[in-house]
Amino acid sequence: MTVWRCWLGWAASATVMVTVVYGLYPLFHYQPAHTFTRAGNVAYGTLHRTAWGVGLSWITLACHNGWGWWVNDILGAPQWQPWSRLSFACYLVHPFVLSIFTGSSAVPLHYSDLNATYWYLGTLVLTHVGALLVYLFVEAPVGRLIKASTGSSRHK
């Protein structure tokens, strides 16, 4: 791939991702009375996640093929490895933690900044503890069994 195509990919990815995140800012902060049309609501609601995925896809493709430069150095740093091993387990565990938090309340939950912080930090800690347990007692042993049974080494 030529350098200009690589730069074009990075520019397109950054533009799409910044547009998804900040595209609605002027709508809500400069013109509070103005709202989306129905078509605008449908278009943004259906396309923003796909656009975000396309932007992430370029980052993945570029880093995998050696076009990531400093982005690849940051994302591939060894300090991220412990969190990368827990991330999928966190994704699997967090609905159960949220269900326990919301289902165990005897009274309705009322919002305040302090309560939101308390619930967030509690959910974060319990989710990561649960993910660590899932990794230690399920994912790691099963991975070792598969490695031992197939005799294959881990791909780098």
Side-chain angles (χ1 to χ4, degrees):
M1 175 178 285
T2 61
V3 174
W4 71 270
R5 284 185 181 167
C6 189
W7 278 105
L8 182 66
W10 278 106
S13 174
T15 302
V16 166
M17 293 176 84
V18 166
T19 302
V20 167
V21 173
Y22 295 110
L24 298 180
Y25 184 83
L27 182 69
F28 293 112
H29 292 283
Y30 298 129
Q31 302 168 356
H34 181 65
T35 59
F36 259 152
T37 63
R38 184 177 191 100
N41 276 336
V42 170
Y44 186 81
T46 56
L47 297 176
H48 78 282
R49 292 178 193 221
T50 303
W52 185 261
V54 168
L56 285 179
S57 297
W58 170 258
I59 294 171
T60 304
L61 179 72
C63 289
H64 179 74
N65 290 316
W67 311 319
W69 304 305
W70 59 271
V71 175
N72 192 33
D73 294 338
I74 292 170
L75 295 176
Q79 294 85 353
W80 295 114
Q81 283 185 355
W83 299 111
S84 70
R85 294 172 196 241
L86 292 180
S87 64
F88 186 65
C90 287
Y91 170 73
L92 294 176
V93 168
H94 89 276
F96 298 107
V97 173
L98 290 174
S99 297
I100 290 168
F101 266 167
T102 57
S104 65
S105 178
V107 295
L109 302 173
H110 297 286
Y111 178 81
S112 73
D113 289 340
L114 183 62
N115 280 343
T117 303
Y118 181 74
W119 295 327
Y120 172 77
L121 293 175
T123 303
L124 183 72
V125 169
L126 287 177
T127 297
H128 280 83
V129 167
L132 180 63
L133 294 174
V134 167
Y135 176 76
L136 291 175
F137 295 115
V138 178
E139 190 175 343
V142 169
R144 282 193 292 270
L145 282 173
I146 291 172
K147 185 178 176 181
S149 67
T150 60
S152 64
S153 62
R154 191 172 195 181
H155 294 250
K156 289 188 176 186

